[in-house]
Amino acid sequence: MSLRPLFPQTRLRRLRYNKVVRNMVAETSLSADDLIMPLFVCPGEKVKNPIKSMPGNDQLSVDMLVEKCKELYTAGVKSVLLFGIPESKDEDGTVATHEHGIVQKATRAIKEVLPDMYIIADICNCEYTTHGHCGTIIDGDVDNDSTLVTLSAQAVSLAEAGVDMVAPSDMMDGRIAHMRSALDENCFEKMPIMAYSAKYASGFYGPFRDAADSAPQFGDRSTYQMDPRNSDEAIREVEMDIAEGADIVMVKPALSYLDVIYRTKHEFNIPVAAYNVSGEFSMVKAAQERDWIDGNRVMMEIMTSIKRAGADIIITYHAQEVAEILNKR
C-alpha cells in the first residue's frame, strides 16, 4: 500500500539533498570579518610563553606579537583585542595609563608594520593591580567612582597610542559615560567604545587568569560582575551602556548566555559582540585532545550558534583556525 496520498505536500528535506541549495537557504553565515582574536602581550624580546591551559595561545613580547598579527592578517583576521602583562603593578592600576605601557608599546609597533590591523584595547585594571581586582580597593572592596578615573585615563592613553577602539571590561557603574566624556575632551570623539555590558561572574575565565596573570588575590568579582542567574538585569546593563554612549555592546561569556545574546540583539538596534571565552575554548581543545569530539566540527558549530543567537561580532581564541577553515571553503 502506498503512503504517498497520506504524506504532507511539504517535505523539508527537499532543500537538504544538495550542498548548493543548502548554502542558498542557510539562515546564518559566518565570515572572517566577524572575528576578533584576543592576544596577550608581555615584556621582553623574542618571548613566546605557551599558555598551558589554552593550547596554541602564548604570552608574546612586542616583537613576537607583531609577527603573530602578520600571521592573523594573512589568514583574514583583521582585528585583535590586546591584553597587557606589565613589568610591574601597583595598587590602583595607574601603570596602565603610562605612555610607555605594554599595550601602548604594542599598539605603536603593530601600527608601524600593519597600519590596517584594527586594534582594540581591553580597558580594565585587573592585569595591572597588585591585588588582581578591577579597580581601586577601599574598605575591602572595589570602589566604583575612584576606579572610573583610572579607567578613563587608561582609555585616553591608549587612544593617544593609536588604538582603533577601546573596550572597558571592568563592570563599574557609569564607566561608559565617564570614558566617553574623557575621550571627547581629549579630541577622541571618533573613538568607538565596545562595552562589556553583560559580563558575568563566570567560572569559564580560569585559563584567562593564567594567561593574563590576573587572578584576584582575595575574594572574587561577584560584587561587580553579573550574577549568572540574571538575564533581565543584563538587559538593564545593556540599556544603560547604550544611553551612556556605547557603540557596541558585549555579552560575556557566550555559550552559557546565548539567551542573553538573543535578547540583546532583539531588544536593541545596536551591534552585539559575544566573547567566546578561555574556558569555552579550552574545553573544546581538551576534548579534542582525548579524541572525544571532532574539534574543528564542534568549533564551527559553536561559532555558528553564537552568530545564530544574534551576535554580529565574535571574540574568540579560535579566530585564526576558524578563518583558515572558512578560507578553504
Side-chain angles (χ1 to χ4, degrees):
M1 176 181 172
S2 174
L3 295 177
R4 281 187 188 280
L6 304 177
F7 206 92
Q9 292 299 306
T10 301
R11 292 175 179 257
L12 295 179
R13 290 185 62 194
R14 288 179 186 135
L15 300 183
R16 298 175 189 160
Y17 286 117
N18 185 281
K19 182 178 180 179
V20 173
V21 76
R22 286 198 302 270
N23 289 337
M24 282 180 184
V25 300
E27 299 172 24
T28 304
S29 61
L30 184 65
S31 163
D33 292 333
D34 304 330
L35 306 173
I36 298 171
M37 179 72 178
L39 295 173
F40 302 93
V41 57
C42 65
E45 293 184 7
K46 300 192 181 302
V47 177
K48 186 177 182 180
N49 294 328
I51 303 165
K52 292 181 181 179
S53 57
M54 296 173 63
N57 289 267
D58 308 281
Q59 296 174 338
L60 300 168
S61 55
V62 171
D63 54 332
M64 299 300 287
L65 183 81
V66 170
E67 294 305 309
K68 182 63 178 178
C69 286
K70 289 179 184 177
E71 192 178 309
L72 287 164
Y73 201 85
T74 299
V77 179
K78 304 298 176 63
S79 181
V80 293
L81 175 62
L82 297 185
F83 296 91
I85 303 163
E87 287 191 56
S88 61
K89 303 186 180 190
D90 56 40
E91 284 297 301
D92 54 10
T94 54
V95 64
T97 70
H98 297 168
E99 178 185 356
H100 299 294
I102 188 67
V103 176
Q104 287 85 341
K105 287 181 182 178
T107 297
R108 289 190 288 267
I110 294 168
K111 285 294 186 182
E112 186 174 347
V113 176
L114 288 170
D116 293 331
M117 176 62 88
Y118 198 86
I119 301 176
I120 305 169
D122 178 83
I123 306 296
C124 195
N125 290 339
C126 61
E127 302 111 291
Y128 305 100
T129 54
T130 52
H131 45 74
H133 278 284
C134 298
T136 301
I137 301 295
I138 296 178
D139 296 329
D141 193 17
V142 173
D143 183 73
N144 194 92
D145 294 4
S146 59
T147 298
L148 300 183
V149 176
T150 313
L151 294 171
S152 292
Q154 186 184 153
V156 170
S157 175
L158 286 160
E160 291 171 343
V163 301
D164 297 291
M165 180 185 289
V166 293
S169 62
D170 53 283
M171 288 299 286
M172 298 298 111
D173 291 331
R175 75 218 198 274
I176 303 304
H178 198 282
M179 195 171 294
R180 181 74 272 160
S181 178
L183 289 166
D184 292 354
E185 288 171 5
N186 285 275
C187 300
F188 292 110
E189 64 277 352
K190 294 181 181 178
M191 175 68 59
I193 297 175
M194 178 168 64
Y196 287 64
S197 297
K199 180 180 179 180
Y200 285 85
S202 171
F204 285 101
Y205 303 148
F208 174 90
R209 290 171 183 171
D210 291 339
D213 188 24
S214 63
Q217 299 302 303
F218 63 91
D220 57 30
R221 294 177 176 147
S222 58
T223 66
Y224 44 101
Q225 294 180 357
M226 278 193 57
D227 189 325
R229 295 172 292 184
N230 297 349
S231 61
D232 289 343
E233 183 186 8
I235 299 305
R236 291 180 65 197
E237 288 276 12
V238 169
E239 188 173 27
M240 288 173 64
D241 283 355
I242 294 171
E244 291 179 19
D247 301 285
I248 300 171
V249 295
M250 187 199 302
V251 177
K252 178 183 180 182
L255 283 182
S256 289
Y257 303 92
L258 293 174
D259 60 320
V260 179
I261 295 170
Y262 178 86
R263 285 190 63 185
T264 299
K265 188 60 183 178
H266 281 264
E267 295 193 29
F268 303 101
N269 184 26
I270 192 168
V272 176
Y275 200 143
N276 177 226
V277 300
S278 60
E280 297 169 338
F281 168 86
S282 296
M283 287 193 304
V284 172
K285 291 299 181 184
Q288 180 181 15
E289 184 179 316
R290 289 161 176 77
D291 291 325
W292 291 346
I293 60 170
D294 179 334
N296 284 348
R297 182 176 179 181
V298 169
M299 173 182 72
M300 297 304 289
E301 190 172 340
I302 288 170
M303 295 301 111
T304 302
S305 75
I306 296 169
K307 281 283 289 184
R308 190 180 66 243
D312 302 287
I313 298 163
I314 303 175
I315 303 163
T316 178
Y317 302 95
H318 292 293
Q320 184 171 346
E321 298 169 280
V322 172
E324 288 169 350
I325 288 174
L326 292 172
N327 290 341
K328 289 177 183 177
R329 289 180 178 177

